[in-house]
Each structure stands twice: as structure tokens, then as C-alpha cells.
């Protein structure tokens, strides 16, 4: 092989090496680009920042007949709180939903069909939350920002879906378990035992809850606390 042929040979080899290196770099970049992004877990809230307020989280899928008496008691004490409503309930009880909102209470999202959000995938979580959002928006023109998972069941997909949709996921500090234990005295004790500012107290529209509600509010007031919306309690908002 003469000098000219050698030079040509080495040029071809060098060109192949450069081409292979370029392809390797492009493939590596492509793989990096299609790697799924790690999802950031947005933790739910179990209590708030407020030192002076607690909130009564009233989750609504049923018990419509008890909402009006609850509203009357809350109004009597000028207490504003948060009703987390199911989308399917809202769609069938628009007038009651309007009365809750007109009374000055905050409205939160409780999913559409009361699913176990820990057992459904990301897409289904998005569907449940967004469908409930649309149902309430159609009636009130309201953009909700708080989501309470039915039965308190959630997974990483739930937290990611809620965050993606602009929601904070809210659990509770204390549970009255009024859906199971139809005992006004027990509901009252669970609500107020060692209650302190920032607490979120879970309840539902039941007859026994209505019977306990006034005592709960009076007890809260006697401790120098007030009843506020979940947003107020979470953020520590100081309002009358």
C-alpha cells in the first residue's frame, strides 16, 4: 500500500470513528430525553397553620335533608366552614349547593363517584377530580382548589393528579366517625377532645351530627377558638 492509499485508508477509518461517536452521542441524548420525569410527591394536609381557628370539614354525598339544619346552626353562630361535595351529589342537588355557597361557606372537591382513589390509576384520578370540578363549576361558576379524597384513600397518583389540577389534598386532624357511630355524645367528644387551633374536624350530614353540632361550636368558642374555612385554617388567615 503506497503513501496515497494509506492516507486514504486512515481518512476512511477516522471518518467512521467520528460517525460512530456522533451516533452514540445522539442515541444517548435521545434516551435521556424520553426518560420519564420523576414525579414530585405533594403531601396532603392534616392540619393548618392557624392558632385561632379550627375547621369543620363536612363531606357530602348523602344526607341532603340534614344540610339545611346544619346551615341554620352555623349561621346562628356566624361560623363559616367548608363543605366538600361529591360531583354526582352536586349534579343532582344544585339548589342545595347554591344555598351552601350563598351562606358564605367554602366549597371543596370530594371526587365525582366516591371512588377509592388509592386503587385507581393516574388517569382515573384526574377524571374523578376534574369531573367533580366541572359539575360544581357548572352550577356555581366556581374554581375549587381543595380536594378531600373519599374515605381518606389516596396514593401517589392521587396526590400528583390533584396537584396537576391545581388542588391541595386535604385529610383531617380528627374524625368524628359519624357515618358509622350514630351517637351524638360520641361525635361531640371526638370533635372537641384536646381540640386546638389548626385542627380539621371531619364530619358528615347526619341526624346525630346535627344534634351535636351546636355543642361542638360552643365548646370551640369556649376555648378562645373560632370556626373557619379549611383554606383559612391551612393558611393561618386572620379574619373575623
Amino acid at each position: 500500500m503506497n503513501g496515497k492509499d494509506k492516507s486514504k485508508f486512515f481518512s476512511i477509518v477516522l471518518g467512521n470513528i467520528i460517525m460512530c461517536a456522533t451516533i452514540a452521542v445522539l442515541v444517548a441524548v435521545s434516551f435521556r430525553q424520553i426518560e420519564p420525569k420523576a414525579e414530585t410527591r405533594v403531601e396532603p394536609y392534616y392540619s393548618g397553620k392557624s392558632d385561632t381557628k379550627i375547621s369543620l370539614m363536612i363531606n357530602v354525598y348523602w344526607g341532603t335533608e340534614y344540610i339545611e339544619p346544619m346551615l341554620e346552626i352555623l349561621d346562628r353562630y356566624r361560623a363559616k366552614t367548608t363543605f366538600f361535595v361529591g360531583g354526582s351529589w352536586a349534579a343532582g342537588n344544585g339548589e342545595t349547593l347554591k344555598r351552601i355557597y350563598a351562606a358564605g361557606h367554602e366549597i371543596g372537591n370530594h371526587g365525582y363517584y366516591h371512588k377509592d382513589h388509592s386503587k385507581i390509576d393516574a388517569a382515573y384520578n384526574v377524571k374523578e377530580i376534574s369531573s367533580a370540578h366541572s359539575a360544581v363549576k357548572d352550577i356555581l361558576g366556581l374554581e375549587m382548589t381543595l380536594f378531600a379524597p373519599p374515605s381518606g384513600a389516596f396514593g401517589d397518583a392521587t396526590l400528583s393528579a390533584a396537584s396537576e389540577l391545581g388542588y391541595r389534598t386535604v385529610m383531617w386532624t380528627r374524625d368524628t366517625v359519624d357515618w358509622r357511630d350514630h351517637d351524638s355524645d360520641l361525635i361531640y367528644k371526638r370533635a372537641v377532645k384536646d381540640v386546638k387551633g389548626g385542627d380539621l374536624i371531619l364530619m358528615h350530614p347526619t341526624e346525630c351530627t346535627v344534634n351535636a353540632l351546636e355543642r361542638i361550636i360552643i365548646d370551640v368558642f369556649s376555648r378562645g377558638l373560632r370556626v373557619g374555612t379549611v383554606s383559612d385554617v391551612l393558611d393561618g388567615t386572620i379574619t373575623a
Side-chain angles (χ1 to χ4, degrees):
M1 182 182 292
N2 58 35
K4 185 175 181 180
D5 290 338
K6 286 181 179 180
S7 178
K8 184 176 180 181
F9 172 76
F10 285 121
S11 294
I12 292 172
V13 170
L14 180 61
N16 286 337
I17 291 172
I18 293 172
M19 181 176 68
C20 289
T22 301
I23 291 172
V25 170
L26 290 174
V27 169
V29 169
S30 296
F31 275 115
R32 282 199 298 273
Q33 287 177 340
I34 63 174
E35 285 177 355
K37 294 181 180 179
E39 292 185 348
T40 301
R41 180 184 171 94
V42 182
E43 295 296 333
Y45 294 82
Y46 290 86
S47 61
K49 296 178 181 178
S50 179
D51 294 326
T52 60
K53 290 183 178 181
I54 62 90
S55 191
L56 307 175
M57 293 177 55
I58 304 172
N59 288 357
V60 184
Y61 264 103
W62 34 259
T64 308
E65 65 271 30
Y66 300 114
I67 289 178
E68 194 62 45
M70 293 182 89
L71 291 176
E72 290 174 3
I73 294 169
L74 290 165
D75 184 61
R76 190 181 308 153
Y77 291 92
R78 298 182 181 180
K80 305 302 179 188
T81 193
T82 303
F83 288 76
F84 285 88
V85 300
S88 57
W89 177 88
N93 295 276
E95 291 307 310
T96 302
L97 179 61
K98 288 177 183 177
R99 284 199 294 277
I100 296 171
Y101 189 55
H105 300 291
E106 182 176 46
I107 307 297
N109 189 323
H110 200 36
Y112 198 88
Y113 282 124
H114 207 276
K115 295 293 182 180
D116 183 335
H117 281 251
S118 67
K119 295 181 179 178
I120 59 178
D121 62 20
Y124 203 168
N125 268 282
V126 168
K127 182 179 179 181
E128 276 290 305
I129 298 170
S130 60
S131 294
H133 186 98
S134 295
V136 171
K137 186 175 180 180
D138 287 346
I139 297 166
L140 300 178
L142 175 68
E143 301 282 358
M144 298 180 291
T145 60
L146 300 176
F147 170 62
S151 305
F154 67 87
D156 287 346
T158 312
L159 299 177
S160 296
S163 180
E164 176 187 328
L165 294 168
Y167 277 91
R168 290 187 283 183
T169 300
V170 183
M171 296 297 286
W172 57 81
T173 313
R174 53 188 66 239
D175 186 356
T176 62
V177 202
D178 54 358
W179 58 270
R180 184 191 69 194
D181 300 326
H182 303 291
D183 183 325
S184 296
D185 290 336
L186 190 54
I187 291 166
Y188 163 73
K189 290 174 183 177
R190 285 173 176 162
V192 302
K193 183 180 179 181
D194 300 322
V195 68
K196 62 186 182 302
D199 282 359
L200 306 174
I201 303 171
L202 178 62
M203 56 181 57
H204 302 80
T206 74
E207 182 178 6
C208 289
T209 305
V210 171
N211 293 336
L213 184 57
E214 187 166 22
R215 281 191 290 161
I216 292 170
I217 295 172
I218 291 172
D219 190 289
V220 167
F221 284 3
S222 73
R223 299 169 192 250
L225 299 170
R226 308 298 291 176
V227 177
T229 66
V230 169
S231 288
D232 280 349
V233 171
L234 291 184
D235 300 329
T237 304
I238 302 175
T239 56

